[in-house]
Amino acid sequence: MGSLVAVASDLAGCGGDRAHTLSQTTDTTVNLYMWADEIAPDTLPSFEKLTGIKVNVSYFDSPEMLESHMLTGSSGFDLVMPSDAFIQRHLRSGAYAALDKTKLPNLTHLDRALMGRVASSDPANAHTVIYDWGTMGIGYNSAMLARHLPGVALDSWNLVFDPTLASKLSQCGIGLIDDPVGVVRMVLISMGRSPNNPRPQDLTDAERVMSKFRPFIRNIDTSSQIQGLANGDLCVAVSYSGNIVQARKRARDAKNGIVIDYLIPKEGSLLWFDLLAIPKDAPHPDSAYRLINYLMEPAVIAHISNADNIANANSDATPLLDPSIAEDAAIYPTAAQQQRLFMQTELTSEQIRVITRIWQEFKTGR
């Protein structure tokens, strides 16, 4: 695709309701809080050029960081990017404004099936809009795994969660995302247990499994995984699909000979959705609506997906995707893979308390 400057020019010249929506506001600023590396470099500058609205963007590297702001309130943010696994608790606390969908005409482009999945956490999609989505799985350096695990099938969580295999891979480096709920849920899936309604014994068993492979984990850090895989400091990472695909792209761009692959284990894994929501006390809500609507423009979100290699939920953007993106199962899972993916639903406060304790002890190696 071409530059978003051209897209912005097209939007500025369009007629009808959408042009009216894009041209009317009293706000001149929008404060955005989002994941790093999930937007094209020219997206926000193009929005600023089109609208005259200044975007102040801050980044987080774990959903817990965002949650700490949302549950305490008065964050100063106008638009944030919560994950679907946390949205029910945020909504119950009254963190987000109900969306005025008349201000978001580009919602008509979104995939109804994916919206239906998110509606299980945000009924009627009343407070959130899907920005992007993906899976959790294992990214790996193909050459290093062939060297350290010759003849081993690369299709299971056992690559990391079985201490016998993990001990061999520890020589080349295993990384985990710093996502307590996500990691524990993946361990539960590997054990054939429910990731969304674990019994106390399930969590006890998961903790036992985690304690056995913990000695072989090099680091637990989401933000460093992409570069770690791309430059060969890690040979395996349990992570979000978007991180793995970005690591693969960096290695290719660097032409360093490192080949990164991604697998959704045969036992199953998790779906994730990054959502857009307006905090209830947002100081500039009109600007937030304009930015959401801009991001839902098919040409805009397709450009973002082509740049960051992460799936979007915009049906009308699909023809605008680079074929290498649209046909990549690491980005857009096949129908067979999707059958093995679990939506994440809210855990009870007691389950969260136990997982938090498990994670604290796991991270410190105690």
Side-chain angles (χ1 to χ4, degrees):
M1 286 188 62
S3 167
L4 279 190
V5 173
V7 175
S9 298
D10 291 343
L11 291 176
C14 71
D17 291 341
R18 187 175 67 188
H20 178 79
T21 301
L22 290 171
S23 63
Q24 304 298 318
T25 187
T26 57
D27 292 340
T28 58
T29 300
V30 61
N31 300 316
L32 172 65
Y33 195 36
M34 65 177 296
W35 290 98
D37 299 313
E38 289 198 10
I39 198 159
D42 57 347
T43 300
L44 297 179
S46 295
F47 173 77
E48 291 177 329
K49 182 175 181 179
L50 173 65
T51 64
I53 296 172
K54 171 64 178 175
V55 182
N56 301 313
V57 60
S58 302
Y59 302 102
F60 56 84
D61 62 10
S62 76
E64 287 80 9
M65 287 179 64
L66 170 63
E67 182 169 73
S68 67
H69 288 287
M70 294 300 99
L71 297 187
T72 56
S74 302
S75 67
F77 295 117
D78 302 301
L79 185 60
V80 298
M81 192 177 286
S83 301
D84 61 301
F86 290 75
I87 195 66
Q88 288 174 300
R89 185 159 62 249
H90 295 187
L91 293 177
R92 195 166 51 253
S93 74
Y96 303 125
L99 294 174
D100 179 353
K101 297 183 180 180
T102 65
K103 297 180 179 180
L104 298 170
N106 281 333
L107 288 181
T108 58
H109 299 298
L110 295 191
D111 184 286
R112 293 184 180 276
L114 292 175
M115 291 176 69
R117 285 189 177 246
V118 172
S120 64
S121 297
D122 176 20
N125 306 106
H127 301 83
T128 63
V129 174
I130 304 172
Y131 176 72
D132 58 17
W133 67 282
T135 63
M136 294 187 188
I138 300 174
Y140 61 95
N141 182 311
S142 301
M144 286 186 178
L145 260 66
R147 186 159 59 248
H148 289 278
L149 294 179
V152 174
L154 306 180
D155 62 358
S156 171
W157 285 117
N158 287 341
L159 291 174
V160 176
F161 299 159
D162 180 338
T164 301
L165 297 180
S167 66
K168 297 178 181 179
L169 294 179
S170 66
Q171 301 169 47
C172 55
I174 302 173
L176 286 185
I177 45 173
D178 191 359
D179 181 344
V181 172
V183 172
V184 171
R185 279 177 156 154
M186 287 183 279
V187 172
L188 288 166
I189 290 171
S190 76
M191 299 163 58
R193 314 288 178 85
S194 169
N196 288 320
N197 189 28
R199 300 167 300 177
Q201 187 60 50
D202 293 330
L203 293 175
T204 298
D205 293 344
E207 182 176 18
R208 185 180 305 113
V209 169
M210 293 169 66
S211 69
K212 292 180 179 179
F213 69 75
R214 176 62 181 92
F216 309 112
I217 303 301
R218 178 172 295 178
N219 60 47
I220 303 171
D221 180 19
T222 305
S223 60
S224 68
Q225 283 189 328
I226 297 174
Q227 194 59 34
L229 275 176
N231 64 20
D233 289 340
L234 297 174
C235 63
V236 175
V238 175
S239 192
Y240 311 111
S241 55
N243 282 2
I244 305 306
V245 174
Q246 288 183 48
R248 183 181 65 186
K249 183 176 185 297
R250 287 192 190 181
R252 288 174 178 172
D253 290 346
K255 298 180 180 179
N256 59 13
I258 292 175
V259 177
I260 305 298
D261 286 319
Y262 178 72
L263 73 92
I264 296 173
K266 62 184 180 182
E267 299 91 344
S269 191
L270 300 171
L271 272 171
W272 57 261
F273 291 88
D274 288 331
L275 311 171
L276 296 171
I278 300 174
K280 201 165 189 177
D281 57 1
H284 311 103
D286 288 343
S287 292
Y289 276 110
R290 295 185 72 185
L291 182 52
I292 294 173
N293 200 59
Y294 180 74
L295 293 171
M296 293 304 102
E297 184 69 32
V300 173
I301 196 66
H303 179 77
I304 293 170
S305 289
N306 286 336
D308 67 16
N309 292 203
I310 301 177
N312 67 70
N314 193 310
S315 297
D316 294 325
T318 302
L320 305 175
L321 293 173
D322 187 303
S324 66
I325 303 295
E327 298 167 8
D328 189 338
I331 301 173
Y332 286 94
T334 66
Q337 289 173 322
Q338 290 187 42
Q339 292 179 0
R340 307 199 303 270
L341 297 172
F342 293 84
M343 275 291 296
Q344 300 182 69
T345 58
E346 185 180 23
L347 298 171
T348 67
S349 58
E350 176 59 17
Q351 289 167 334
I352 291 291
R353 186 192 67 77
V354 173
I355 288 173
T356 299
R357 178 194 58 75
I358 290 172
W359 192 251
Q360 289 172 343
E361 295 180 2
F362 179 77
K363 282 192 72 174
T364 59
R366 290 192 285 123

